[in-house]
């Protein structure tokens, strides 16, 4: 999955290998779009792209929901120069779009806010079916050196109706890694 933090090849050594970014975003009614979360992610991405320690890093953005991916793609297209996109092999995809690929730095937008999107929509993204679990495994294992997770709901809110779920488990693990 990720390299040992001591063996990082790109990035700022003072930046944790795993960073959770809580955003006070809200999903737009009737959609999967969380504009404040997308804005926070794109602003952070631009900051990383301009940081000298990331000059050779490849970047990916994984959005859990299709409409959020489209929103982030539009923002990146409007705000990140094509030359930078190419130099850093920057892609904005959903988990299925990252099959067989990885990047030095991955930024995630989970979109879900606990209010504007139903728990059923979140549960569908982590159902106990082979394809869904495989897709999540792809999403969780793509960064080589560093990951930044943007989320608008609390970690525990990412559980399914029965309080379980791969996304919640992954976020809890990431929060534990971050605290070490």
């Amino acid at each position: 999955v990720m390299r040992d933090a001591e063996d990082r090849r790109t990035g700022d050594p003072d930046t944790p290998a795993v960073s959770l970014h809580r955003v006070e975003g809200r999903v737009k009614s009737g959609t999967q779009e969380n504009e404040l979360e997308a804005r926070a992610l794109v602003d952070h991405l631009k900051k990383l792209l301009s940081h000298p320690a990331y000059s050779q890093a490849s970047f990916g953005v994984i959005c859990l929901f299709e409409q959020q991916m489209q929103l982030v793609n539009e923002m990146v297209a409007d705000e990140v120069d094509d030359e930078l996109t190419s130099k850093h092999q920057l892609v904005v995809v959903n988990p299925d779009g990252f099959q067989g690929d990885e990047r030095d730095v991955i930024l995630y937008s989970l979109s879900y806010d606990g209010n504007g999107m139903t728990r059923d929509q979140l549960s569908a993204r982590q159902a106990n079916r082979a394809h869904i679990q495989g897709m999540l495994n792809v999403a969780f294992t793509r960064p080589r050196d560093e990951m930044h997770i943007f989320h608008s709901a609390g970690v525990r809110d990412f559980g399914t109706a029965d309080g379980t779920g791969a996304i919640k488990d992954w976020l809890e693990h990431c929060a534990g890694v971050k605290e070490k």
Side-chain angles (χ1 to χ4, degrees):
V1 181
M2 290 179 68
R3 293 182 183 117
D4 185 296
E6 302 298 317
D7 188 34
R8 286 172 70 172
R9 297 180 185 160
T10 62
D12 183 350
D14 294 329
T15 299
V18 177
S19 297
L20 277 74
H21 304 264
R22 178 72 188 260
V23 179
E24 295 302 319
R26 294 286 174 250
V27 174
K28 184 175 156 185
S29 180
T31 74
Q32 302 166 338
E33 293 179 1
N34 185 326
E35 191 167 350
L36 286 176
E37 188 175 294
R39 168 58 38 218
L41 182 146
V42 171
D43 287 348
H44 193 73
L45 172 65
K46 292 186 321 187
K47 181 178 138 191
L48 294 174
L49 288 170
S50 68
H51 193 296
Y54 296 89
S55 66
Q56 301 302 312
S58 60
F59 285 85
V61 176
I62 297 177
C63 299
L64 196 56
F65 293 96
E66 189 75 21
Q67 290 176 343
Q68 185 74 352
M69 179 192 77
Q70 292 169 353
L71 176 62
V72 172
N73 251 322
E74 290 168 9
M75 289 178 165
V76 167
D78 289 345
E79 300 176 35
V80 178
D81 183 82
D82 289 343
E83 189 175 308
L84 269 180
T85 298
S86 179
K87 175 184 175 188
H88 292 283
Q89 303 171 7
L90 174 59
V91 294
V92 179
V93 295
N94 64 17
D96 284 328
F98 232 98
Q99 187 69 40
D101 208 353
E102 54 186 30
R103 293 291 188 272
D104 297 318
V105 180
I106 299 285
L107 294 87
Y108 297 87
S109 178
L110 303 184
S111 191
Y112 181 73
D113 67 357
N115 295 310
M117 188 182 286
T118 68
R119 185 165 300 280
D120 287 343
Q121 289 172 293
L122 177 66
S123 294
R125 296 306 285 168
Q126 55 185 340
N128 194 15
R129 295 193 325 256
H131 170 73
I132 300 295
Q133 292 300 308
M135 173 203 62
L136 291 174
N137 182 55
V138 166
F140 300 159
T141 60
R142 300 302 97 181
R144 290 185 197 116
D145 288 326
E146 196 170 302
M147 72 170 82
H148 297 269
I149 305 162
F150 291 79
H151 61 102
S152 295
V155 168
R156 290 191 178 129
D157 293 330
F158 281 90
T160 59
D162 67 359
T164 63
I167 297 170
K168 181 180 87 56
D169 293 347
W170 174 66
L171 287 169
E172 287 175 342
H173 171 75
C174 289
V177 168
K178 182 183 177 294
E179 292 171 3
K180 290 180 181 178

